[in-house]
Amino acid sequence: ATPASQFQAAQKSVKYQILQPGSTGDLLLHSFQMQSCGATSPKWLAAIYGETRSVQFLETDSAVKCSNPGLGKKVATANINGNVATIVAFCDPANSAQWKSCKTSDIHNFGGYAMWKVPATKKLRGTEVEVLVSGLTYADLLKMARGMKPVTL
């Protein structure tokens, strides 16, 4: 199965909008799963590209809180295709100097993520999207987040 067909299959299985990445650079699909979020909640999508250097695309129904994005420091907000995203770098809160000076360039050193909500459409509920990178830059993160497009069936 191609990554595109896996995203399409995921869209058929849920009532919220699934987005698929436009580009992941040289990173290949490593893992694609629809994860359980309790018996009554819709499953959430976790697609991981790459291994040492990686990007994770995590998507869930925006009405459901399913996963914890991890401890980090908000270092920016960014426009992702018309939606405001929170940008977080995984600086170490135990290292006060690092925490105080934490900025977008630290995403390359420590990893980080962009998280935003995509509004509902006529047919599909809204989605909370998290794009989490490791070993990639803030520019890479923005490029991959902005490259995401709704799945078309």
Side-chain angles (χ1 to χ4, degrees), residues 3 8 14 26 29 34 53 70 73-74 76 84-85 96 98 103-104 107 110 119 123-125 129-130 146:
Q8 287 174 332
V14 295
D26 63 346
L29 187 62
M34 293 302 288
R53 288 170 42 255
K73 185 171 184 180
K74 179 178 172 181
V84 176
S96 62
Q98 184 191 100
K103 54 193 175 299
T104 56
I107 289 171
F110 309 122
K123 295 184 178 165
L124 295 165
R125 294 203 296 264
V129 181
E130 179 183 351
R146 290 175 175 150

Side-chain angles (χ1 to χ4, degrees), residues 4 9 17-18 22-23 32 34 38 41 47 54 121 124 132:
Q17 175 71 67
I18 295 288
S23 169
F32 188 102
M34 293 302 288
S41 297
S54 66
T121 65
L124 295 165
L132 189 151

